[in-house]
Structures are given as structure tokens and as C-alpha cells.
């Protein structure tokens, strides 16, 4: 399973570990994802999404139906 947020489209970034002696080795910055079930009252069904912490905050603020509509507009959700 890929580590991509279903709502915002965030994915892993890559960078460097930098030691005290300034040796650089590649590392990966993973997204803070969690699998969560949401109830959509307009469609009367449950949806399971992999969402980042930022997406959860926006869902709490705007509501799940508004956030899903915006994600469909961006093409992240079919």
C-alpha cells in the first residue's frame, strides 16, 4: 500500500541525514497517515480513508462532505 493521503495527496519526501561530521546519507520523511472510517449522511454510508493529520483537522473544521467534494474536484478521489 502506498503512503499517500487520500484527501490532500501528500506523499513521502526525501532528504538527507546530516551527521556531526557533515556526512550525508539519504533518508525518507513519511507522511503522518492514519486509516479512519467516516460516515457520510448524504449518501448514508461509511467510507474508509487513509488521511494525514492535516486532513483530519480540515475534516473536523469543514465537514467530511465538503472535503470529499474538494478532493474530487482536484482529482484525488474518483
Amino acid at each position: 500500500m502506498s503512503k499517500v493521503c487520500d484527501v490532500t495527496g501528500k506523499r513521502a519526501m526525501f532528504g538527507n541525514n546530516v551527521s556531526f561530521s557533515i556526512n550525508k546519507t539519504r533518508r525518507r520523511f513519511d507522511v503522518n497517515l492514519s486509516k479512519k472510517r467516516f460516515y457520510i449522511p448524504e449518501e448514508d454510508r461509511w467510507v474508509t480513508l487513509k488521511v494525514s493529520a492535516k486532513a483530519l483537522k480540515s475534516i473536523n473544521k469543514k465537514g467530511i462532505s465538503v472535503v470529499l467534494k474538494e478532493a474530487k474536484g482536484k482529482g484525488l478521489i474518483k
Side-chain angles (χ1 to χ4, degrees):
M1 289 174 47
S2 61
K3 295 182 180 181
V4 179
C5 178
D6 291 334
V7 175
T8 59
K10 284 188 169 194
R11 49 182 68 233
M13 291 182 5
F14 295 91
N16 289 317
N17 277 327
V18 182
S19 67
F20 180 74
S21 59
I22 315 175
N23 293 327
K24 295 177 179 74
T25 57
R26 297 301 281 177
R27 64 159 291 182
R28 178 182 170 122
F29 296 94
D30 283 328
V31 184
N32 186 8
L33 288 180
S34 59
K35 208 170 195 181
K36 188 100 170 91
R37 281 179 76 211
F38 297 100
Y39 180 71
I40 304 172
E42 290 84 17
E43 300 177 11
D44 193 34
R45 68 186 184 111
W46 289 89
V47 175
T48 302
L49 298 172
K50 281 192 295 185
V51 292
S52 62
K54 182 179 179 181
L56 268 177
K57 289 171 79 173
S58 64
I59 288 170
N60 286 335
K61 183 177 181 179
K62 299 177 188 177
I64 183 67
S65 56
V66 174
V67 172
L68 285 178
K69 199 174 292 182
E70 289 174 357
K72 285 180 185 176
K74 291 179 185 175
L76 297 170
I77 298 175
K78 294 181 180 177

